[in-house]
Amino acid sequence: MCPSIKLIDMHTHRRKPEAGVLQIMNLMPCDLPPEGQYFSAGLHPWYVQESNWESQLQWINALVGHPELVAIGECGIDMLYPDPAMQSHVFELQAALAQQHRLPLILHAVRSHDRLIAIRRNLRSSNPWIVHGFSSRPSIAKQYLDHGFYLSFGAALFNANATITESFRLCPEDRIFLETDNHAVKLNELYHRAAALRGMQTTQLASRIYRNFVNCFGLTPHGG
């Protein structure tokens, strides 16, 4: 791997990055921002509750303008969890906040691609929307891609699963990210696996994702 090209971990819950890795750490309400590294902040749909979502949204608003905050999320809609109507409302507020401040939006999406696509269209969002941990079938990948979404892939790429492999190969190089999320996988091993699935050199894929990061976030990578 060329030493000048950092590996980008688009979404992780780890507080300390591996050597040579630039990561975007996911923050949830009451978490303290990590020092000297990029992070995102959002209200996960699993934890949207009538009693506290407004105060938690204020926490996100207070972080906007922090020099290391680079995205809103993860946030989204999970149809396997209660009250998708409330989830949708809270998500739309976060999506509008991201649009207002021209920040990328990191999405948790479970059986909700149609709703998310409709919300993006209704908001006329022009900021990047990134579906994290994508592991669904190619037909859903295509719908996201046709509407301008990015797809971030993780540990599911190690599964002997034709569906995720086909979805990954379908995704254009300029819409791909890789992530560790909350899995124990090593990022360099994930890059090697992903490159092999696409018939690329690992350095080629790393360079492409590096450029995707710069183009999507408007940032020059640092830290790691």
Side-chain angles (χ1 to χ4, degrees), residues 38-52:
Y38 295 138
F39 66 93
S40 64
L43 181 50
H44 194 292
W46 291 359
Y47 308 116
V48 170
Q49 297 179 8
E50 183 69 44
S51 62
N52 62 11

Side-chain angles (χ1 to χ4, degrees), residues 7-203:
L7 298 183
I8 304 298
D9 190 346
M10 213 290 303
H11 176 82
T12 187
H13 294 262
R14 301 171 182 174
R15 291 201 72 90
K16 185 176 180 181
E18 302 171 47
V21 170
L22 183 148
Q23 67 179 31
I24 300 176
M25 180 189 165
N26 180 76
L27 255 64
M28 296 177 66
C30 299
D31 287 344
L32 294 175
E35 294 186 10
Q37 60 177 293
Y38 295 138
F39 66 93
S40 64
L43 181 50
H44 194 292
W46 291 359
Y47 308 116
V48 170
Q49 297 179 8
E50 183 69 44
S51 62
N52 62 11
W53 71 259
E54 290 181 287
S55 63
Q56 291 179 341
L57 195 63
Q58 290 175 0
W59 167 81
I60 298 169
N61 270 280
L63 284 172
V64 172
H66 189 292
E68 306 296 332
L69 177 76
V70 298
I72 300 298
E74 66 184 285
C75 55
I77 303 170
D78 190 326
M79 297 300 291
L80 299 182
Y81 274 72
D83 207 341
M86 185 186 298
Q87 289 184 43
S88 296
H89 175 64
V90 175
F91 169 71
E92 287 190 45
L93 293 174
Q94 293 177 89
L97 180 66
Q99 172 79 344
Q100 176 186 350
H101 293 279
R102 299 180 180 179
L103 290 168
L105 195 62
I106 299 175
L107 303 173
H108 173 99
V110 177
R111 299 185 183 179
S112 57
H113 64 282
D114 50 348
R115 290 191 178 209
L116 293 171
I117 289 169
I119 290 170
R120 179 173 170 83
R121 185 170 56 245
N122 291 339
L123 291 176
R124 299 181 180 180
S125 296
S126 57
N127 57 319
W129 287 30
I130 306 163
V131 181
H132 103 83
F134 186 84
S135 61
S136 194
R137 59 188 184 273
S139 60
I140 293 178
K142 187 176 186 305
Q143 289 181 63
Y144 278 129
L145 294 168
D146 286 348
H147 288 85
F149 288 67
Y150 291 75
L151 301 180
S152 183
F153 298 84
L157 292 181
F158 289 100
N159 298 336
N161 184 321
T163 296
I164 183 61
T165 299
E166 187 178 348
S167 293
F168 180 60
R169 289 173 174 161
L170 172 72
C171 190
E173 291 180 12
D174 63 355
R175 300 277 200 89
I176 289 176
F177 285 106
L178 294 176
E179 63 176 70
T180 59
D181 194 14
N182 59 357
H183 299 284
V185 61
K186 290 185 178 296
L187 188 64
N188 66 330
E189 294 176 359
L190 179 59
Y191 269 75
H192 286 306
R193 171 65 173 170
L197 288 174
R198 295 183 70 96
M200 302 173 66
Q201 295 292 321
T202 305
T203 51

